Amino acid sequence: RMKRYVFRRTQDGIHIIHLGKTWEKLMVAARVIVCIENPSDIIVASQRPYGSRAVLKFSQYTGANAMAGRWMPGTLTNQITTKYLEPRLLIVTDPRTDSQALKEASYANIPVIALCDTDSPLENVDIAIPSNNKGKESIALLYWLLAREVQYLRG
């Protein structure tokens, strides 16, 4: 499914992602984020240790809710819990590690933006941003670009 975002494959089997398509998807995601009037209706989730700081910084600059660390099951589906939230948008760092958040978002009909590597599952992901979501510099750069573009579009 991510084949259309791969520029080419190296001799040792490493996929090179097409940066132009990554940039296009980042711009689409930024427009979607700006369309939501109340920034606190956006949840940014990351269970990856490298994604935690990036998520916290992104939410600081855009006004979104950060959920770094463990995702509490039932956050989007169980109304009884104190952690229950009804966001308008969910942003995840990795669809594989944040699969619980993706599953709950699909039950609650919440659109999802995800940073996807070439091996990521795309089920329940609405906007996939093709990127390397394994390294901390890569994750940080993508969240920085997204935050910068959101702030630019908001004025």
Side-chain angles (χ1 to χ4, degrees):
R1 298 280 318 225
M2 291 292 288
K3 196 167 189 148
R4 59 183 162 205
Y5 303 118
V6 174
F7 178 61
R8 67 186 182 87
R9 195 164 169 247
T10 59
Q11 295 286 327
D12 49 345
I14 295 169
H15 293 90
I16 309 295
I17 294 169
H18 196 295
L19 285 178
K21 293 186 177 175
T22 299
W23 181 254
E24 286 171 17
K25 286 291 193 164
L26 267 171
M27 295 305 112
V28 169
R31 285 194 205 102
V32 168
I33 292 167
V34 169
C35 284
I36 293 171
E37 304 86 23
N38 187 5
S40 60
D41 283 344
I42 301 168
I43 292 181
V44 192
S46 174
Q47 287 188 330
R48 283 194 171 277
Y50 289 149
S52 301
R53 186 166 190 267
V55 159
L56 291 167
K57 288 284 184 185
F58 176 81
S59 61
Q60 175 187 337
Y61 287 108
T62 57
N65 276 335
M67 295 202 61
R70 187 172 181 276
W71 177 269
M72 193 70 178
T75 303
L76 305 178
T77 51
N78 190 357
Q79 291 96 342
I80 300 167
T81 59
T82 54
K83 295 248 184 199
Y84 178 69
L85 295 167
E86 285 185 277
R88 303 253 326 266
L89 179 68
L90 177 68
I91 304 171
V92 294
T93 305
D94 185 9
R96 198 176 295 282
T97 55
D98 299 316
S99 58
Q100 180 66 35
L102 280 180
K103 190 188 292 183
E104 290 184 26
S106 74
Y107 290 154
N109 287 334
I110 297 166
V112 175
I113 297 173
L115 304 182
C116 297
D117 210 338
T118 51
D119 63 344
S120 296
L122 292 182
E123 287 81 33
N124 306 325
V125 174
D126 296 304
I127 298 173
I129 300 171
S131 60
N132 169 22
N133 59 15
K134 307 288 188 283
K136 74 176 156 199
E137 286 87 7
S138 174
I139 294 170
L141 176 69
L142 284 156
Y143 274 117
W144 179 79
L145 284 168
L146 198 55
R148 188 186 71 162
E149 193 61 26
V150 166
Q151 286 184 326
Y152 171 74
L153 288 172
R154 280 184 184 154

